[in-house]
Amino acid sequence: MPDVQALVNDFVIKLKKRKIEGSLATAKHTAELLRSVISHQRIPYTNQAAALIDAVKAVGEQLIAANPVELSVGNIVRRVLYIIREEDLSLTTASIAGLSLSAVSDDEDDSEKDDHPALSAAAVAAAARSTLRPPSLQTLLEDVPNQASVHQASSSGGDSEGKSKSADKSSRSRKLKHDVIEAVNELIQDIATCHEQIAEQAVEHIHQNEVILTLGSSRTVLEFLCAAKEKKRSFRVFVAEGAPRYQGHLLAKELVTRGLQTTLITDSAVFAMISRVNMVIVGAHAVMANGGVMAPVGLNMVALAAKRHAVPFVVLAGSHKLCPLYPHNPEVLLNELRSPSELLDFGEFSDCMDFGSKTGSPLLHVVNPTFDYVPPSLVSLFITDTGGHNSSYMYRLIADYYSADDLVIKKRPSTGS
């Protein structure tokens, strides 16, 4: 079994060197790595959820710092933290329910059971408040085996009771890890199948003889369009090439291979062609809490053109791309600059550099941003694996996946004795 820290270091290096890029790949690798971290983490009898949360935060902090622009990494870290909190709360509530039921059956007869419900709202609220709370002194003392009292006990009743308590706590520890790992497995499955779940909705949005415009290359968009084609919908696709990486060329080739009528256009021709378009369908790098979109460079221009001509602008995004942070958050890196060699080769670039000047600095500067930010006012509809949503609803949808306590990924400082 490989060392977990070695796996973490290897993934950090791959993120720094951009060997793993894209929301889907980074999200899936992050979830699989955190599953390994949780499965190998030894947790104490007390504050079991807190121990798992600290372990996940320690790893998540490294992963996010390795490549901050890959927001899906932070999204998955926060999703796993939320899973731990929810599973711990579920176990705590179940324990309280069991204690209440046993107390009712022992102390009350059948006629009085209706007047005392087994699990009250106050008990559930107490369970929620006690989740991850530091243990009290009494709890710590109860969890430490008292060897002297064990040896001095005259009967075996105390021994059996102590063993029973220890077995219960060990069983709860294994139960928590098992439930968390099962939930993370479901998360990994959701990430892998998000394209299919989004594509199932294609027939509801693409109609006969429509013209669809997209930019660059996106697997989600590809599967979405092909799903509509499989439902016998006849339509044409305009693909803007997505300079300077020209990912649109790859998408256009794949669409033609699958039998779709495709027209490849330059990015500068979007405004000229938008009047013929019925709908713009694009992918996204990340969806922010305010409904804004981090998308491949050039999409803000497409969104402005669509708004000007009253063309619906639809964004396809899996739930792993939903980010609980706002664009103005200092932890959010909205863009990064790629190599100038994608625009000019090194020979052309060196010819434009004037080292004879006093400063010795080049007269030509090349700026090659990776992403655009599309404000929510330009987005007509989001289609996720849970259905279609308006941009104003995204903050509520995102709140279902994350805890407010995990917006800042930072491990709790250890308290010295």
Side-chain angles (χ1 to χ4, degrees):
M1 181 65 67
D3 180 48
V4 174
Q5 189 57 45
L7 294 176
V8 173
N9 295 337
D10 181 63
F11 188 39
V12 167
I13 292 174
K14 289 181 178 179
L15 286 174
K16 289 181 176 179
K17 293 184 176 181
R18 306 302 195 265
K19 291 185 176 180
I20 298 179
E21 287 186 306
S23 300
L24 178 66
T26 54
K28 186 176 180 181
H29 280 79
T30 301
E32 292 172 347
L33 177 61
L34 294 180
R35 180 180 59 186
S36 299
V37 171
I38 293 171
S39 64
H40 289 80
Q41 178 67 27
R42 299 185 62 180
I43 56 179
Y45 285 154
T46 59
N47 277 4
Q48 298 167 1
L52 289 179
I53 286 175
D54 286 344
V56 171
K57 281 189 174 182
V59 174
E61 199 172 353
Q62 300 178 56
L63 300 182
I64 294 173
N67 190 357
V69 79
E70 292 292 353
L71 296 179
S72 289
V73 174
N75 295 344
I76 297 303
V77 172
R78 295 181 181 92
R79 287 281 295 272
V80 172
L81 292 173
Y82 181 74
I83 287 172
I84 296 173
R85 296 181 188 276
E86 288 296 299
E87 295 298 337
D88 182 64
L89 178 58
S90 177
L91 288 177
T92 303
T93 305
S95 299
I96 293 176
L99 290 175
S100 300
L101 286 173
S102 62
V104 168
S105 61
D106 292 340
D107 300 336
E108 299 180 357
D109 55 20
D110 295 337
S111 62
E112 295 177 345
K113 286 182 180 179
D114 294 336
D115 298 331
H116 296 81
L119 182 61
S120 64
V124 176
R129 290 194 302 270
S130 64
T131 305
L132 307 181
R133 181 181 297 171
S136 63
L137 179 60
Q138 180 181 358
T139 305
L140 291 174
L141 291 176
E142 288 178 351
D143 291 330
V144 176
N146 192 338
Q147 299 295 336
S149 61
V150 170
H151 288 297
Q152 292 175 1
S154 57
S155 64
S156 61
D159 293 340
S160 61
E161 185 178 356
K163 291 179 180 178
S164 176
K165 288 183 179 180
S166 177
D168 290 343
K169 291 173 183 176
S170 178
S171 174
R172 188 181 187 280
S173 171
R174 291 193 298 270
K175 175 67 172 173
L176 177 62
K177 288 182 63 174
H178 176 269
D179 291 349
V180 170
I181 291 175
E182 285 297 317
V184 173
N185 286 335
E186 293 178 5
L187 174 61
I188 295 173
Q189 182 67 19
D190 290 342
I191 295 172
T193 61
C194 68
H195 303 297
E196 290 79 2
Q197 296 176 20
I198 294 175
E200 290 176 357
Q201 308 169 56
V203 70
E204 303 174 9
H205 300 278
I206 298 179
H207 304 97
Q208 193 74 8
N209 299 323
E210 285 191 333
V211 178
I212 309 298
L213 171 66
T214 188
L215 180 142
S217 179
S218 168
R219 180 186 169 189
T220 308
V221 173
L222 173 64
E223 298 297 337
F224 192 82
L225 296 175
C226 292
K229 175 67 166 56
E230 292 173 359
K231 297 294 183 179
K232 308 302 181 183
R233 294 292 167 85
S234 177
F235 57 94
R236 174 175 288 277
V237 183
F238 289 171
V239 181
E241 59 184 359
R245 302 181 71 184
Y246 301 106
Q247 296 292 316
H249 295 180
L250 302 177
L251 179 62
K253 183 178 180 180
E254 187 66 28
L255 290 174
V256 171
T257 302
R258 299 207 188 184
L260 277 79
Q261 301 180 45
T262 307
T263 302
L264 184 66
I265 64 174
T266 61
D267 296 343
S268 57
V270 167
F271 244 106
M273 305 296 291
I274 195 69
S275 59
R276 306 183 187 182
V277 173
N278 299 105
M279 183 185 302
V280 177
I281 300 179
V282 297
H285 179 71
V287 179
M288 312 306 296
N290 66 335
V293 179
M294 276 184 65
V297 66
L299 270 183
N300 189 53
M301 171 193 66
V302 177
L304 289 171
K307 186 76 170 181
R308 178 67 178 81
H309 290 267
V311 175
F313 186 86
V314 179
V315 177
L316 310 181
S319 58
H320 61 279
K321 297 183 180 183
L322 306 182
C323 180
L325 303 179
Y326 286 85
H328 59 265
N329 192 300
E331 292 189 7
V332 176
L333 182 60
L334 286 177
N335 221 328
E336 67 175 352
L337 299 180
R338 299 185 65 87
S339 170
S341 62
E342 294 181 348
L343 299 177
L344 298 174
D345 62 40
F346 289 109
E348 293 178 78
F349 188 70
S350 60
D351 292 341
C352 299
M353 299 177 68
D354 183 11
F355 289 103
S357 62
K358 294 181 179 179
T359 60
S361 60
L363 299 178
L364 175 65
H365 296 271
V366 179
V367 179
N368 184 16
T370 305
F371 301 109
D372 260 347
Y373 173 71
V374 181
S377 59
L378 300 181
V379 180
S380 305
L381 181 69
F382 286 97
I383 300 178
T384 71
D385 36 5
T386 61
H389 307 282
N390 191 275
S391 58
S392 61
Y393 182 75
M394 295 309 294
Y395 82 97
R396 184 65 189 87
L397 179 65
I398 289 174
D400 293 337
Y401 293 108
Y402 304 100
S403 169
D405 297 329
D406 302 323
L407 296 185
V408 178
I409 304 296
K410 190 174 183 181
K411 183 181 176 182
R412 294 186 308 170
S414 58
T415 57
S417 55

